[in-house]
Amino acid sequence: MKALVYYCRWNDASLRLRGRDGTAVWGHLVYNADTPEESMQEFRFELKTWRLTLHKPDGDELIQLDEMGTVQSAD
């Protein structure tokens, strides 16, 4: 999960975890937390592959992270 924490740090986001199982964690990335401009992005993060799925109204975006939370590729 370290890669996800770093990704949040690099993108000025906070984590709000909603669930976890043996393979993934999910919840919301929160931007501008506790301000009137707060926004949330629903996500799922696969623990073994470091693949981050951002759920968007027009379809999911898949992002491959490295161990430091840097984007390696995005669909």
Side-chain angles (χ1 to χ4, degrees), residues 10-56:
W10 308 147
N11 290 281
D12 294 322
S14 299
L15 279 175
R16 288 195 186 149
L17 296 179
R18 302 292 184 210
R20 179 183 185 122
D21 62 20
T23 62
V25 295
W26 54 91
H28 293 94
L29 302 176
V30 182
Y31 301 93
N32 299 311
D34 301 320
T35 70
E37 294 84 29
E38 179 178 291
S39 64
M40 294 192 300
Q41 174 67 63
E42 189 176 355
F43 77 91
R44 177 180 175 84
F45 180 71
E46 296 177 26
L47 298 169
K48 292 187 182 198
T49 62
W50 299 329
R51 187 168 40 194
L52 176 63
T53 303
L54 301 176
H55 302 293
K56 298 183 174 185

